[in-house]
Amino acid sequence: MTTALRAVWLSAESNFQGSLPEARCGHVAASIKNHAAWGDEFIIIHGGINREREALDSLAVLGLDQGSWNSPSNPTGPGPSARAFHAGAVLGRRLYVFGGHVYVKQQARLHAFNDLWCLDTDTWEWARLETEAEAPTPCPRDRACLVASLDGSSLLLYGGADASNRRLDDLWRYDIAARAWAEVGAAGGARPRPRCSATLCALPNRLLLFGGDNYGVSGELWSLNVVVERAGAAVKTSREGPGGDGKPATGPAPPATASWTLLSLEGAVPLPRRGHAAAASGRGFLVSGGFTEHRSLIGIKSRGVCLDDVSMLDREAESLVWRAAVPGSNDAATPCAREKHSLTAVSDGRLLLFGGTDGRTTLGDAWWLHVEEVAGAADPAPAHPTPPRPGGPHLTLEGPPATSNRPLSPAPGAASGLAAAGLAYLPAVPLGLTSAFSSLRDRLGLPATAPAADLLPLGVLASEFDPALLALGQRVLDLPSGTGGDRGRAVQAARSFLASCSHEELRLGDVGALVADYRRLARAGFAAALRERPGDAADLSRMPGRFMHLRAEDLRMHEVATLLEEYRALLASQFG
């Protein structure tokens, strides 16, 4: 008998005593079972940005057994300062939060943090976990990922965006016993590109990184394995202090190495996205909402949209597969599409969705989500089979989007066209760019800027003077190398070849011509966008593209096929 997943939503706004937390986005949310001290299980919400666009330092706690919201006071003084887009993780009965940012009105700028705090739910005391003055520490950042290691000995911090909004790809390990940070070295092989606004969750036997913003939304799913090199005697610990030990242990944290694997899974692969919420619960890994890019079939028009879908990575199936949850009954109330919200799993299998933004306003609603199997139906199927990808040391993921619960909800005011997205790409490779001004609004939790024109006039390309492109065109036309003649005809022939060939047909020398023309077309898109929005000229000129910073010799073999797809989208958007 065939079955389907069904997402059952129930409003949580009237289930409990006390007032719901203040509406917010970019907050931290986590669940902690503390029956030893309180005989209860808690959902904890901290920080975020409210509707007045102010960062919060408030702590809201939902006692599931007591059935009430409250705000416990800290008997030993204040906790973390007001902040948003920080990262949080749970170890035992303690909540750890790292980083984030606050907008400093007097200086008209964002201030990013790199401090680590611990909340002990036995006493509701906050404590800042200090490190030695010269010890290595992650740089200040927001929109990073923080997760407990599988063995419970450490915290892992990945990615985010630094104070200049540069995406990061570094991985740090905070050793609970040593109370020290150490950057995790790479074991070699493939690794994710720098990103922020992703999710990193722990399943019983693996850590999974999904999605994010790497100057465009991502739909990649990576598996992370960290190996700690513990030489000599085991590190001694005591459990008196809020950090897991009473005093800092002698010596630095033991070294560790990380290996990444890009997973390619069958099923209804979720749309690429950023600002989504994810949680590990029961039988799998669930993804909810977020922000993606919706494009026309030929990749010319682009607009940002918030999502309201639910997808699950089902580890109880015969093989690890993505499944899209169908909505409940048509007359049932459901949460609106949103991003920058939280999804928190509790021990009975339910998940609590809270807050976020729909592009118009900051949200303060709360919803229970229960995912169940429905007999006599089948999961929504992908529109197309997962396309094959070039081989390499890992598997690739980019596949078709899952069928959404209902049509995509455009984010009000989301920009369209090259002026807002920077470049137009194929739907399978969503990589829209925003101006630094729009990115700043996003970090503040504000709606996107107003839409611009869908199509922009293009400048003259200097392709007729590119020797590599001319040589490729002459080869395609079967002309002797270095001959004169119609340069425009040679350029057209080269582009026709690159627009129709597969990556296996490319010669090694052709990659240089491909990369150079890709960058040339991308710059033309930037120039067109700058003419449309001159006020953002200085910011847009610094915004990189996905491959803009790479030379031909820097490309990995498995990236050539993706580069070809984006190149063809550029041609389609500029020459029809």
Side-chain angles (χ1 to χ4, degrees), residues 247-264:
K247 298 180 180 179
T250 58
T257 56
S259 58
W260 293 92
T261 304
L262 183 58
L263 303 178
S264 177

Side-chain angles (χ1 to χ4, degrees), residues 99-102 109-115 140-142 161-163 443:
H101 76 242
V102 64
R109 68 177 182 87
L110 292 177
H111 173 76
F113 299 98
N114 67 338
D115 49 351
R141 66 189 68 198
D142 58 19
D162 66 12
R443 296 174 75 189

Side-chain angles (χ1 to χ4, degrees), residues 52-378:
E52 286 69 45
R53 305 172 186 174
E54 298 172 338
L56 303 171
D57 63 356
S58 59
L59 184 71
V61 178
L62 171 62
L64 295 175
D65 295 336
Q66 295 179 1
S68 63
W69 287 97
N70 62 83
S71 299
S73 60
N74 183 358
T76 61
S81 59
R83 65 190 64 202
F85 299 102
H86 44 318
V90 169
L91 266 176
R93 301 195 298 270
R94 296 182 172 94
L95 169 68
Y96 297 83
V97 296
F98 175 87
H101 76 242
V102 64
Y103 182 71
V104 183
K105 293 181 180 179
Q106 295 83 351
Q107 302 175 9
R109 68 177 182 87
L110 292 177
H111 173 76
F113 299 98
N114 67 338
D115 49 351
L116 179 66
W117 290 79
C118 175
L119 174 67
D120 186 345
T121 61
D122 287 355
T123 60
W124 299 109
E125 293 178 2
W126 281 106
R128 181 170 179 173
L129 305 184
E130 303 283 358
T131 58
E132 300 196 4
E134 302 301 323
T137 306
C139 70
R141 66 189 68 198
D142 58 19
R143 294 169 290 166
C145 300
L146 189 69
V147 68
S149 64
L150 295 180
D151 64 0
S153 68
S154 59
L155 302 170
L156 297 170
L157 175 74
Y158 171 76
D162 66 12
S164 62
N165 202 28
R166 178 175 62 95
R167 283 26 170 194
L168 304 170
D169 64 350
D170 52 345
L171 179 66
W172 290 79
R173 178 177 177 271
Y174 181 82
D175 190 281
I176 298 296
R179 293 187 71 154
W181 286 103
E183 188 167 6
V184 180
R191 59 185 296 179
R193 291 188 177 277
R195 68 192 61 209
C196 62
S197 303
T199 52
L200 182 61
C201 293
L203 292 181
N205 60 348
R206 68 181 70 199
L207 298 169
L208 294 177
L209 175 76
F210 176 72
D213 175 359
N214 53 5
Y215 301 106
V217 292
S218 171
E220 295 172 340
L221 177 68
W222 292 84
S223 176
L224 169 62
N225 182 45
V226 176
V227 177
V228 180
E229 303 169 14
R230 297 188 180 275
V235 179
K236 295 182 179 180
T237 66
S238 67
R239 301 189 182 275
E240 298 172 358
D245 53 277
K247 298 180 180 179
T250 58
T257 56
S259 58
W260 293 92
T261 304
L262 183 58
L263 303 178
S264 177
L265 303 180
E266 299 296 328
V269 179
L271 285 165
R273 65 193 68 201
R274 61 150 167 88
H276 52 285
S281 174
R283 60 187 291 174
F285 168 71
L286 285 98
V287 176
S288 161
F291 183 90
T292 191
E293 291 168 355
H294 186 50
R295 303 180 182 279
S296 65
L297 294 176
I298 59 175
I300 293 180
K301 295 183 179 180
S302 173
R303 58 175 178 165
V305 293
C306 287
L307 299 168
D308 64 352
D309 58 345
V310 175
S311 296
M312 184 175 77
L313 191 60
D314 191 352
R315 59 189 181 90
E316 291 187 359
E318 295 181 0
S319 60
L320 197 63
V321 295
W322 280 111
R323 301 180 67 185
V326 299
S329 58
N330 294 332
D331 57 349
T334 59
C336 66
R338 67 189 66 201
E339 61 167 331
K340 304 166 189 170
H341 54 298
S342 59
L343 187 69
T344 309
V346 297
S347 58
D348 63 7
R350 295 177 299 166
L351 301 101
L352 183 72
L353 180 149
F354 176 75
T357 175
D358 62 359
R360 294 186 183 90
T361 186
T362 301
L363 304 169
D365 52 344
W367 297 80
W368 285 115
L369 169 63
H370 177 67
V371 178
E372 61 184 14
E373 293 279 355
V374 182

